[in-house]
Amino acid sequence: MEETAHKLAGLGYLAVRPAYRLVPTAIHPAQVSDVRCAARWVRDHAGAYGAPARGFIGGASAGGHLALLTALAPDDASDLDTGDCPWSGPVSFRGAFGWGGVYDFGEAGFPDWVSDSITALLGRAPADDPAGAAAASPIGYLGPDSPPILLAHGERDNIVPYIQSAAMHARAMASGTRSTF
């Protein structure tokens, strides 16, 4: 994504690649809290860079998960904030894109090592805490007021099953969210 960010910046866009805490140092919701905090920083500082306060968010793989979760979760989703962000207020986007992300932690079909990584991220297996898995899954936040989403996924992805993006698109369309896949 670094190359993409540089290309976008070269075209005159404000491109930000936020750092976020990783497993095993931190478990969910630390990662999305960090991205939500970065989005608030961009909102509050975009004008200094000649950019609008409300833009687009996107990412690939884990970044796709975090981008869509950040874009789709309601502003008052305090369970997604760890409370250590100096910026506050709403986080909203004109649109979001995800490239091969995990959008539903409750779905099966992941390779064993990916399932182990998901368990490490969530702090427990999704089957042991379906409500926690749902709260960490962007698919559950889709609705008619969601920003439009763009999804891309390789049919031969051997890490994140293609069905993750196909199901996200189908649920988006059923919920009234504009989606392109």
Side-chain angles (χ1 to χ4, degrees), residues 70-116:
T70 299
L72 298 172
D75 291 331
D76 62 354
S78 59
D79 58 326
L80 297 179
D81 289 315
T82 55
D84 51 0
C85 181
W87 297 279
S88 61
V91 177
S92 63
F93 297 91
R94 299 174 58 94
F97 74 88
W99 217 331
V102 174
Y103 307 118
D104 186 353
F105 286 115
E107 280 297 312
F110 294 100
D112 288 344
W113 70 271
V114 175
S115 294
D116 292 345

mmCIF file of all heavy atoms in Angstrom, residues 70-116:
data_model
loop_
_atom_site.group_PDB
_atom_site.id
_atom_site.type_symbol
_atom_site.label_atom_id
_atom_site.label_comp_id
_atom_site.label_asym_id
_atom_site.label_seq_id
_atom_site.Cartn_x
_atom_site.Cartn_y
_atom_site.Cartn_z
ATOM 1 N N THR A 70 -13.683 0.700 10.079
ATOM 2 C CA THR A 70 -13.641 2.124 10.439
ATOM 3 C C THR A 70 -14.728 2.902 9.708
ATOM 4 O O THR A 70 -15.413 3.735 10.306
ATOM 5 C CB THR A 70 -12.252 2.711 10.121
ATOM 6 O OG1 THR A 70 -11.281 2.015 10.903
ATOM 7 C CG2 THR A 70 -12.175 4.195 10.444
ATOM 8 N N ALA A 71 -14.904 2.632 8.438
ATOM 9 C CA ALA A 71 -15.881 3.372 7.640
ATOM 10 C C ALA A 71 -17.319 3.024 7.980
ATOM 11 O O ALA A 71 -18.196 3.888 7.925
ATOM 12 C CB ALA A 71 -15.638 3.116 6.150
ATOM 13 N N LEU A 72 -17.577 1.771 8.335
ATOM 14 C CA LEU A 72 -18.950 1.312 8.508
ATOM 15 C C LEU A 72 -19.477 1.391 9.934
ATOM 16 O O LEU A 72 -20.675 1.541 10.143
ATOM 17 C CB LEU A 72 -19.080 -0.125 8.001
ATOM 18 C CG LEU A 72 -18.797 -0.326 6.514
ATOM 19 C CD1 LEU A 72 -18.773 -1.815 6.171
ATOM 20 C CD2 LEU A 72 -19.788 0.428 5.658
ATOM 21 N N ALA A 73 -18.604 1.282 10.917
ATOM 22 C CA ALA A 73 -19.059 1.313 12.312
ATOM 23 C C ALA A 73 -19.601 2.700 12.646
ATOM 24 O O ALA A 73 -19.094 3.702 12.157
ATOM 25 C CB ALA A 73 -17.921 0.947 13.258
ATOM 26 N N PRO A 74 -20.624 2.765 13.467
ATOM 27 C CA PRO A 74 -21.181 4.070 13.826
ATOM 28 C C PRO A 74 -20.193 4.910 14.641
ATOM 29 O O PRO A 74 -19.301 4.370 15.299
ATOM 30 C CB PRO A 74 -22.426 3.728 14.646
ATOM 31 C CG PRO A 74 -22.219 2.329 15.118
ATOM 32 C CD PRO A 74 -21.324 1.663 14.122
ATOM 33 N N ASP A 75 -20.376 6.216 14.577
ATOM 34 C CA ASP A 75 -19.482 7.120 15.305
ATOM 35 C C ASP A 75 -19.470 6.848 16.800
ATOM 36 O O ASP A 75 -18.467 7.048 17.461
ATOM 37 C CB ASP A 75 -19.890 8.578 15.059
ATOM 38 C CG ASP A 75 -19.618 9.015 13.641
ATOM 39 O OD1 ASP A 75 -18.680 8.482 13.015
ATOM 40 O OD2 ASP A 75 -20.358 9.874 13.144
ATOM 41 N N ASP A 76 -20.593 6.377 17.317
ATOM 42 C CA ASP A 76 -20.680 6.158 18.761
ATOM 43 C C ASP A 76 -20.278 4.733 19.170
ATOM 44 O O ASP A 76 -20.584 4.295 20.270
ATOM 45 C CB ASP A 76 -22.089 6.481 19.259
ATOM 46 C CG ASP A 76 -23.155 5.597 18.648
ATOM 47 O OD1 ASP A 76 -22.848 4.787 17.741
ATOM 48 O OD2 ASP A 76 -24.329 5.712 19.071
ATOM 49 N N ALA A 77 -19.574 4.027 18.300
ATOM 50 C CA ALA A 77 -19.128 2.664 18.609
ATOM 51 C C ALA A 77 -17.952 2.719 19.580
ATOM 52 O O ALA A 77 -16.811 2.453 19.238
ATOM 53 C CB ALA A 77 -18.754 1.928 17.331
ATOM 54 N N SER A 78 -18.263 3.082 20.821
ATOM 55 C CA SER A 78 -17.208 3.264 21.824
ATOM 56 C C SER A 78 -16.468 1.965 22.116
ATOM 57 O O SER A 78 -15.329 1.997 22.580
ATOM 58 C CB SER A 78 -17.779 3.854 23.111
ATOM 59 O OG SER A 78 -18.784 3.004 23.626
ATOM 60 N N ASP A 79 -17.089 0.818 21.814
ATOM 61 C CA ASP A 79 -16.405 -0.454 22.030
ATOM 62 C C ASP A 79 -15.266 -0.662 21.033
ATOM 63 O O ASP A 79 -14.460 -1.573 21.190
ATOM 64 C CB ASP A 79 -17.386 -1.620 21.966
ATOM 65 C CG ASP A 79 -18.137 -1.697 20.647
ATOM 66 O OD1 ASP A 79 -18.440 -0.639 20.057
ATOM 67 O OD2 ASP A 79 -18.430 -2.817 20.202
ATOM 68 N N LEU A 80 -15.166 0.219 20.020
ATOM 69 C CA LEU A 80 -14.073 0.149 19.053
ATOM 70 C C LEU A 80 -12.981 1.174 19.347
ATOM 71 O O LEU A 80 -12.019 1.287 18.596
ATOM 72 C CB LEU A 80 -14.597 0.344 17.627
ATOM 73 C CG LEU A 80 -15.580 -0.718 17.137
ATOM 74 C CD1 LEU A 80 -16.039 -0.397 15.723
ATOM 75 C CD2 LEU A 80 -14.973 -2.108 17.216
ATOM 76 N N ASP A 81 -13.141 1.934 20.389
ATOM 77 C CA ASP A 81 -12.142 2.929 20.783
ATOM 78 C C ASP A 81 -11.549 2.543 22.132
ATOM 79 O O ASP A 81 -12.281 2.233 23.072
ATOM 80 C CB ASP A 81 -12.775 4.322 20.862
ATOM 81 C CG ASP A 81 -13.126 4.871 19.492
ATOM 82 O OD1 ASP A 81 -12.290 4.753 18.580
ATOM 83 O OD2 ASP A 81 -14.223 5.418 19.334
ATOM 84 N N THR A 82 -10.233 2.587 22.221
ATOM 85 C CA THR A 82 -9.566 2.208 23.470
ATOM 86 C C THR A 82 -9.416 3.381 24.430
ATOM 87 O O THR A 82 -8.917 3.213 25.532
ATOM 88 C CB THR A 82 -8.182 1.597 23.177
ATOM 89 O OG1 THR A 82 -7.424 2.515 22.395
ATOM 90 C CG2 THR A 82 -8.310 0.272 22.449
ATOM 91 N N GLY A 83 -9.824 4.571 24.014
ATOM 92 C CA GLY A 83 -9.817 5.725 24.906
ATOM 93 C C GLY A 83 -8.504 6.477 24.979
ATOM 94 O O GLY A 83 -8.359 7.385 25.799
ATOM 95 N N ASP A 84 -7.537 6.138 24.129
ATOM 96 C CA ASP A 84 -6.241 6.806 24.209
ATOM 97 C C ASP A 84 -5.968 7.730 23.013
ATOM 98 O O ASP A 84 -4.830 8.102 22.772
ATOM 99 C CB ASP A 84 -5.117 5.785 24.375
ATOM 100 C CG ASP A 84 -5.169 4.667 23.349
ATOM 101 O OD1 ASP A 84 -6.061 4.659 22.497
ATOM 102 O OD2 ASP A 84 -4.302 3.781 23.419
ATOM 103 N N CYS A 85 -7.024 8.130 22.311
ATOM 104 C CA CYS A 85 -6.864 9.030 21.166
ATOM 105 C C CYS A 85 -7.090 10.477 21.612
ATOM 106 O O CYS A 85 -8.105 10.778 22.233
ATOM 107 C CB CYS A 85 -7.863 8.673 20.073
ATOM 108 S SG CYS A 85 -7.728 9.729 18.599
ATOM 109 N N PRO A 86 -6.163 11.383 21.296
ATOM 110 C CA PRO A 86 -6.354 12.783 21.695
ATOM 111 C C PRO A 86 -7.386 13.527 20.852
ATOM 112 O O PRO A 86 -7.789 14.625 21.212
ATOM 113 C CB PRO A 86 -4.960 13.397 21.519
ATOM 114 C CG PRO A 86 -4.254 12.516 20.566
ATOM 115 C CD PRO A 86 -4.843 11.144 20.714
ATOM 116 N N TRP A 87 -7.836 12.936 19.745
ATOM 117 C CA TRP A 87 -8.853 13.575 18.908
ATOM 118 C C TRP A 87 -10.171 12.849 19.108
ATOM 119 O O TRP A 87 -10.216 11.642 19.291
ATOM 120 C CB TRP A 87 -8.446 13.548 17.425
ATOM 121 C CG TRP A 87 -7.193 14.322 17.207
ATOM 122 C CD1 TRP A 87 -7.073 15.676 17.069
ATOM 123 C CD2 TRP A 87 -5.869 13.806 17.158
ATOM 124 N NE1 TRP A 87 -5.749 16.024 16.945
ATOM 125 C CE2 TRP A 87 -4.986 14.894 16.984
ATOM 126 C CE3 TRP A 87 -5.326 12.522 17.238
ATOM 127 C CZ2 TRP A 87 -3.614 14.740 16.887
ATOM 128 C CZ3 TRP A 87 -3.968 12.365 17.141
ATOM 129 C CH2 TRP A 87 -3.123 13.467 16.969
ATOM 130 N N SER A 88 -11.252 13.585 19.074
ATOM 131 C CA SER A 88 -12.562 12.978 19.297
ATOM 132 C C SER A 88 -13.522 13.424 18.208
ATOM 133 O O SER A 88 -13.180 14.231 17.353
ATOM 134 C CB SER A 88 -13.098 13.373 20.680
ATOM 135 O OG SER A 88 -13.245 14.780 20.749
ATOM 136 N N GLY A 89 -14.703 12.898 18.267
ATOM 137 C CA GLY A 89 -15.734 13.285 17.328
ATOM 138 C C GLY A 89 -15.974 12.229 16.267
ATOM 139 O O GLY A 89 -15.373 11.159 16.271
ATOM 140 N N PRO A 90 -16.884 12.562 15.350
ATOM 141 C CA PRO A 90 -17.302 11.581 14.348
ATOM 142 C C PRO A 90 -16.205 11.228 13.347
ATOM 143 O O PRO A 90 -15.305 12.021 13.086
ATOM 144 C CB PRO A 90 -18.479 12.266 13.648
ATOM 145 C CG PRO A 90 -18.258 13.719 13.860
ATOM 146 C CD PRO A 90 -17.570 13.840 15.187
ATOM 147 N N VAL A 91 -16.321 10.042 12.832
ATOM 148 C CA VAL A 91 -15.445 9.546 11.779
ATOM 149 C C VAL A 91 -16.366 9.168 10.624
ATOM 150 O O VAL A 91 -17.176 8.260 10.764
ATOM 151 C CB VAL A 91 -14.665 8.296 12.242
ATOM 152 C CG1 VAL A 91 -13.813 7.750 11.115
ATOM 153 C CG2 VAL A 91 -13.812 8.607 13.441
ATOM 154 N N SER A 92 -16.299 9.895 9.523
ATOM 155 C CA SER A 92 -17.142 9.546 8.384
ATOM 156 C C SER A 92 -16.352 9.676 7.089
ATOM 157 O O SER A 92 -15.384 10.440 7.017
ATOM 158 C CB SER A 92 -18.394 10.425 8.337
ATOM 159 O OG SER A 92 -18.053 11.774 8.147
ATOM 160 N N PHE A 93 -16.781 8.915 6.100
ATOM 161 C CA PHE A 93 -16.063 8.836 4.840
ATOM 162 C C PHE A 93 -17.028 8.918 3.670
ATOM 163 O O PHE A 93 -18.177 8.528 3.776
ATOM 164 C CB PHE A 93 -15.267 7.523 4.760
ATOM 165 C CG PHE A 93 -14.218 7.422 5.815
ATOM 166 C CD1 PHE A 93 -14.495 6.842 7.035
ATOM 167 C CD2 PHE A 93 -12.951 7.940 5.595
ATOM 168 C CE1 PHE A 93 -13.537 6.779 8.029
ATOM 169 C CE2 PHE A 93 -11.986 7.889 6.586
ATOM 170 C CZ PHE A 93 -12.274 7.305 7.798
ATOM 171 N N ARG A 94 -16.515 9.387 2.552
ATOM 172 C CA ARG A 94 -17.297 9.438 1.313
ATOM 173 C C ARG A 94 -17.394 8.055 0.685
ATOM 174 O O ARG A 94 -18.283 7.782 -0.100
ATOM 175 C CB ARG A 94 -16.670 10.416 0.338
ATOM 176 C CG ARG A 94 -16.632 11.843 0.879
ATOM 177 C CD ARG A 94 -15.878 12.765 -0.029
ATOM 178 N NE ARG A 94 -16.437 12.808 -1.366
ATOM 179 C CZ ARG A 94 -17.324 13.698 -1.804
ATOM 180 N NH1 ARG A 94 -17.739 14.631 -0.993
ATOM 181 N NH2 ARG A 94 -17.771 13.657 -3.034
ATOM 182 N N GLY A 95 -16.479 7.170 1.023
ATOM 183 C CA GLY A 95 -16.477 5.816 0.498
ATOM 184 C C GLY A 95 -15.323 5.034 1.084
ATOM 185 O O GLY A 95 -14.434 5.591 1.732
ATOM 186 N N ALA A 96 -15.339 3.719 0.863
ATOM 187 C CA ALA A 96 -14.296 2.846 1.393
ATOM 188 C C ALA A 96 -14.018 1.724 0.401
ATOM 189 O O ALA A 96 -14.910 1.309 -0.337
ATOM 190 C CB ALA A 96 -14.734 2.257 2.730
ATOM 191 N N PHE A 97 -12.762 1.271 0.390
ATOM 192 C CA PHE A 97 -12.453 0.105 -0.433
ATOM 193 C C PHE A 97 -11.650 -0.899 0.369
ATOM 194 O O PHE A 97 -10.871 -0.551 1.251
ATOM 195 C CB PHE A 97 -11.742 0.484 -1.738
ATOM 196 C CG PHE A 97 -10.299 0.881 -1.599
ATOM 197 C CD1 PHE A 97 -9.284 -0.067 -1.639
ATOM 198 C CD2 PHE A 97 -9.945 2.211 -1.456
ATOM 199 C CE1 PHE A 97 -7.957 0.300 -1.529
ATOM 200 C CE2 PHE A 97 -8.615 2.596 -1.344
ATOM 201 C CZ PHE A 97 -7.621 1.638 -1.376
ATOM 202 N N GLY A 98 -11.898 -2.152 0.055
ATOM 203 C CA GLY A 98 -11.186 -3.249 0.689
ATOM 204 C C GLY A 98 -10.688 -4.222 -0.354
ATOM 205 O O GLY A 98 -11.419 -4.576 -1.281
ATOM 206 N N TRP A 99 -9.462 -4.639 -0.187
ATOM 207 C CA TRP A 99 -8.792 -5.536 -1.111
ATOM 208 C C TRP A 99 -8.459 -6.815 -0.357
ATOM 209 O O TRP A 99 -7.507 -6.854 0.420
ATOM 210 C CB TRP A 99 -7.506 -4.873 -1.541
ATOM 211 C CG TRP A 99 -7.037 -5.034 -2.927
ATOM 212 C CD1 TRP A 99 -7.240 -6.059 -3.794
ATOM 213 C CD2 TRP A 99 -6.217 -4.092 -3.613
ATOM 214 N NE1 TRP A 99 -6.612 -5.808 -4.973
ATOM 215 C CE2 TRP A 99 -5.973 -4.603 -4.889
ATOM 216 C CE3 TRP A 99 -5.664 -2.865 -3.263
ATOM 217 C CZ2 TRP A 99 -5.200 -3.937 -5.817
ATOM 218 C CZ3 TRP A 99 -4.898 -2.206 -4.191
ATOM 219 C CH2 TRP A 99 -4.677 -2.731 -5.451
ATOM 220 N N GLY A 100 -9.263 -7.830 -0.529
ATOM 221 C CA GLY A 100 -8.966 -9.126 0.077
ATOM 222 C C GLY A 100 -8.992 -9.141 1.585
ATOM 223 O O GLY A 100 -8.199 -9.847 2.199
ATOM 224 N N GLY A 101 -9.887 -8.388 2.191
ATOM 225 C CA GLY A 101 -9.950 -8.334 3.649
ATOM 226 C C GLY A 101 -10.872 -9.383 4.248
ATOM 227 O O GLY A 101 -11.664 -10.017 3.549
ATOM 228 N N VAL A 102 -10.767 -9.552 5.555
ATOM 229 C CA VAL A 102 -11.703 -10.393 6.306
ATOM 230 C C VAL A 102 -12.816 -9.472 6.776
ATOM 231 O O VAL A 102 -12.566 -8.492 7.478
ATOM 232 C CB VAL A 102 -11.013 -11.071 7.511
ATOM 233 C CG1 VAL A 102 -12.028 -11.826 8.358
ATOM 234 C CG2 VAL A 102 -9.910 -12.005 7.036
ATOM 235 N N TYR A 103 -14.037 -9.794 6.376
ATOM 236 C CA TYR A 103 -15.178 -8.934 6.712
ATOM 237 C C TYR A 103 -16.171 -9.623 7.645
ATOM 238 O O TYR A 103 -17.073 -8.981 8.149
ATOM 239 C CB TYR A 103 -15.874 -8.474 5.430
ATOM 240 C CG TYR A 103 -14.893 -7.846 4.465
ATOM 241 C CD1 TYR A 103 -14.664 -8.383 3.216
ATOM 242 C CD2 TYR A 103 -14.159 -6.725 4.847
ATOM 243 C CE1 TYR A 103 -13.747 -7.812 2.342
ATOM 244 C CE2 TYR A 103 -13.232 -6.159 3.989
ATOM 245 C CZ TYR A 103 -13.029 -6.702 2.740
ATOM 246 O OH TYR A 103 -12.104 -6.145 1.888
ATOM 247 N N ASP A 104 -16.006 -10.926 7.839
ATOM 248 C CA ASP A 104 -16.901 -11.669 8.723
ATOM 249 C C ASP A 104 -16.094 -12.737 9.457
ATOM 250 O O ASP A 104 -15.796 -13.793 8.908
ATOM 251 C CB ASP A 104 -18.027 -12.309 7.912
ATOM 252 C CG ASP A 104 -19.080 -12.967 8.778
ATOM 253 O OD1 ASP A 104 -18.888 -13.052 10.020
ATOM 254 O OD2 ASP A 104 -20.107 -13.404 8.219
ATOM 255 N N PHE A 105 -15.736 -12.449 10.702
ATOM 256 C CA PHE A 105 -14.937 -13.382 11.493
ATOM 257 C C PHE A 105 -15.729 -14.625 11.899
ATOM 258 O O PHE A 105 -15.153 -15.608 12.334
ATOM 259 C CB PHE A 105 -14.375 -12.697 12.741
ATOM 260 C CG PHE A 105 -13.251 -11.755 12.444
ATOM 261 C CD1 PHE A 105 -13.387 -10.396 12.678
ATOM 262 C CD2 PHE A 105 -12.059 -12.221 11.922
ATOM 263 C CE1 PHE A 105 -12.347 -9.519 12.400
ATOM 264 C CE2 PHE A 105 -11.011 -11.357 11.635
ATOM 265 C CZ PHE A 105 -11.162 -9.999 11.881
ATOM 266 N N GLY A 106 -17.052 -14.581 11.764
ATOM 267 C CA GLY A 106 -17.873 -15.733 12.121
ATOM 268 C C GLY A 106 -17.910 -16.803 11.054
ATOM 269 O O GLY A 106 -18.380 -17.914 11.301
ATOM 270 N N GLU A 107 -17.436 -16.499 9.875
ATOM 271 C CA GLU A 107 -17.423 -17.465 8.774
ATOM 272 C C GLU A 107 -16.269 -18.443 8.932
ATOM 273 O O GLU A 107 -15.195 -18.077 9.380
ATOM 274 C CB GLU A 107 -17.292 -16.744 7.429
ATOM 275 C CG GLU A 107 -18.584 -16.178 6.920
ATOM 276 C CD GLU A 107 -19.634 -17.238 6.641
ATOM 277 O OE1 GLU A 107 -19.334 -18.257 5.986
ATOM 278 O OE2 GLU A 107 -20.765 -17.053 7.106
ATOM 279 N N ALA A 108 -16.491 -19.662 8.504
ATOM 280 C CA ALA A 108 -15.440 -20.684 8.527
ATOM 281 C C ALA A 108 -14.733 -20.690 7.175
ATOM 282 O O ALA A 108 -15.014 -19.880 6.309
ATOM 283 C CB ALA A 108 -16.068 -22.042 8.817
ATOM 284 N N GLY A 109 -13.806 -21.611 7.004
ATOM 285 C CA GLY A 109 -13.160 -21.789 5.719
ATOM 286 C C GLY A 109 -11.772 -21.191 5.614
ATOM 287 O O GLY A 109 -11.179 -21.207 4.544
ATOM 288 N N PHE A 110 -11.255 -20.665 6.718
ATOM 289 C CA PHE A 110 -9.904 -20.112 6.698
ATOM 290 C C PHE A 110 -8.892 -21.241 6.870
ATOM 291 O O PHE A 110 -9.156 -22.215 7.573
ATOM 292 C CB PHE A 110 -9.709 -19.113 7.847
ATOM 293 C CG PHE A 110 -10.539 -17.877 7.727
ATOM 294 C CD1 PHE A 110 -11.715 -17.742 8.439
ATOM 295 C CD2 PHE A 110 -10.149 -16.836 6.906
ATOM 296 C CE1 PHE A 110 -12.492 -16.601 8.333
ATOM 297 C CE2 PHE A 110 -10.911 -15.686 6.790
ATOM 298 C CZ PHE A 110 -12.083 -15.570 7.503
ATOM 299 N N PRO A 111 -7.707 -21.096 6.284
ATOM 300 C CA PRO A 111 -6.639 -22.057 6.600
ATOM 301 C C PRO A 111 -6.372 -22.020 8.110
ATOM 302 O O PRO A 111 -6.612 -20.999 8.766
ATOM 303 C CB PRO A 111 -5.430 -21.510 5.821
ATOM 304 C CG PRO A 111 -5.995 -20.630 4.763
ATOM 305 C CD PRO A 111 -7.275 -20.083 5.321
ATOM 306 N N ASP A 112 -5.890 -23.133 8.648
ATOM 307 C CA ASP A 112 -5.681 -23.228 10.099
ATOM 308 C C ASP A 112 -4.828 -22.087 10.639
ATOM 309 O O ASP A 112 -5.140 -21.512 11.685
ATOM 310 C CB ASP A 112 -5.042 -24.569 10.475
ATOM 311 C CG ASP A 112 -6.017 -25.727 10.344
ATOM 312 O OD1 ASP A 112 -7.241 -25.481 10.263
ATOM 313 O OD2 ASP A 112 -5.557 -26.881 10.309
ATOM 314 N N TRP A 113 -3.743 -21.745 9.947
ATOM 315 C CA TRP A 113 -2.860 -20.706 10.466
ATOM 316 C C TRP A 113 -3.540 -19.343 10.458
ATOM 317 O O TRP A 113 -3.258 -18.509 11.312
ATOM 318 C CB TRP A 113 -1.525 -20.680 9.732
ATOM 319 C CG TRP A 113 -1.589 -20.198 8.308
ATOM 320 C CD1 TRP A 113 -1.809 -20.946 7.190
ATOM 321 C CD2 TRP A 113 -1.437 -18.852 7.858
ATOM 322 N NE1 TRP A 113 -1.809 -20.153 6.070
ATOM 323 C CE2 TRP A 113 -1.577 -18.865 6.448
ATOM 324 C CE3 TRP A 113 -1.191 -17.643 8.504
ATOM 325 C CZ2 TRP A 113 -1.492 -17.701 5.687
ATOM 326 C CZ3 TRP A 113 -1.099 -16.494 7.738
ATOM 327 C CH2 TRP A 113 -1.249 -16.532 6.346
ATOM 328 N N VAL A 114 -4.479 -19.116 9.522
ATOM 329 C CA VAL A 114 -5.231 -17.856 9.516
ATOM 330 C C VAL A 114 -6.229 -17.867 10.674
ATOM 331 O O VAL A 114 -6.399 -16.859 11.364
ATOM 332 C CB VAL A 114 -5.924 -17.614 8.159
ATOM 333 C CG1 VAL A 114 -6.807 -16.376 8.213
ATOM 334 C CG2 VAL A 114 -4.889 -17.500 7.050
ATOM 335 N N SER A 115 -6.876 -19.010 10.895
ATOM 336 C CA SER A 115 -7.789 -19.128 12.039
ATOM 337 C C SER A 115 -7.059 -18.858 13.345
ATOM 338 O O SER A 115 -7.595 -18.192 14.242
ATOM 339 C CB SER A 115 -8.432 -20.517 12.078
ATOM 340 O OG SER A 115 -9.276 -20.690 10.969
ATOM 341 N N ASP A 116 -5.833 -19.349 13.457
ATOM 342 C CA ASP A 116 -5.029 -19.081 14.655
ATOM 343 C C ASP A 116 -4.735 -17.587 14.785
ATOM 344 O O ASP A 116 -4.766 -17.033 15.888
ATOM 345 C CB ASP A 116 -3.717 -19.863 14.611
ATOM 346 C CG ASP A 116 -3.910 -21.364 14.728
ATOM 347 O OD1 ASP A 116 -5.016 -21.806 15.127
ATOM 348 O OD2 ASP A 116 -2.950 -22.096 14.403
#
